Amino acid sequence: AQSVTQLDSQVPVFEEAPVELRCNYSSSVSVYLFWYVQYPNQGLQLLLKYLSGSTLVKGINGFEAEFNKSQTSFHLRKPSVHISDTAEYFCAVSLANAGGTSYGKLTFGQGTILTVHP
Amino acid sequence: DSGVTQTPKHLITATGQRVTLRCSPRSGDLSVYWYQQSLDQGLQFLIQYYNGEERAKGNILERFSAQQFPDLHSELNLSSLELGDSALYFCASSAQATNEKLFFGSGTQLSVL
């Protein structure tokens, strides 16, 4: 079975500073990786995903993540954060399908609350 | 706005009762997923339906059931409710059977008293 560990439950940061939200996964088979963001009182929204190809993935709102197979990590980064980035961020994993697509269950981490201070 | 509609937004009920949560997916999406979010368990996958058929099953209790109707809306039925069932229940949809991009609704907050 696959699992996801988000290493920080809360990350406070000042506006315009860089940020890294850490995610490690565990799986005995190939996986696909995702980052979702949840703004207050809203559902989750996909930020970015890694399915195959380049290990550096760019997403919406200036976020990017790097898939590191040897370290089983998929850390999320942004070079300069804004107040509006304050939200909870979830890393998720899905088992890779032989046909190269992702199906079924997404396993989510416990979430990291990013708080951007002025 | 994700285009996924969940009703009701809030539900307060008593132990032992039964409730139904409703989800309308984005227009044209064939898959519906149900997730439970609680403080102790985090986000847990319950079940997926694709075009009316059950496609994948997660940690869904036997007291819970779901279905997807011909118009593609879905309902999650929770019965014999316990205090521990109090949680935020999310519905998500995707265009096809793959889960590569899910669109989440705003959730139904269930409080069991």
Side-chain angles (χ1 to χ4, degrees), chain A residues 52-113:
Chain A
S52 64
S54 172
T55 57
L56 183 62
V57 180
K58 294 190 184 298
I60 62 171
N61 301 339
F63 284 93
E64 64 181 32
E66 186 159 18
F67 171 58
N68 188 319
K69 190 174 182 179
S70 63
Q71 297 188 6
T72 60
S73 68
F74 191 55
H75 300 333
L76 181 70
R77 301 185 183 100
K78 186 169 182 177
S80 175
V81 294
H82 303 288
I83 298 287
S84 59
D85 292 323
T86 294
E88 189 162 15
Y89 292 78
F90 292 91
C91 182
V93 64
S94 176
L95 293 180
N97 179 276
T101 53
S102 179
Y103 287 92
K105 168 183 173 179
L106 278 181
T107 298
F108 285 89
Q110 289 294 98
T112 297
I113 297 173

Side-chain angles (χ1 to χ4, degrees), chain A residues 17-28:
Chain A
V19 71
E20 179 180 80
L21 306 184
R22 298 180 294 167
C23 172
N24 284 95
Y25 69 92
S26 173
S27 176
S28 57

Side-chain angles (χ1 to χ4, degrees), chain B residues 44-102:
Chain B
Q44 297 286 318
F45 169 70
L46 295 178
I47 199 163
Q48 176 200 359
Y49 279 83
Y50 171 68
N51 206 19
E53 300 289 327
E54 182 182 305
R55 181 76 183 216
K57 206 166 186 177
N59 302 323
I60 188 165
L61 299 172
E62 284 192 12
R63 300 183 285 109
F64 297 1
S65 65
Q67 56 183 326
Q68 186 179 27
F69 294 86
D71 67 352
L72 301 177
H73 91 272
S74 177
E75 293 181 355
L76 179 66
N77 299 296
L78 315 176
S79 62
S80 303
L81 285 168
E82 302 175 359
L83 296 177
D85 298 327
S86 295
L88 187 55
Y89 291 84
F90 284 110
C91 168
S93 73
S94 64
Q96 297 295 330
T98 63
N99 65 5
E100 294 168 12
K101 185 169 186 176
L102 301 187

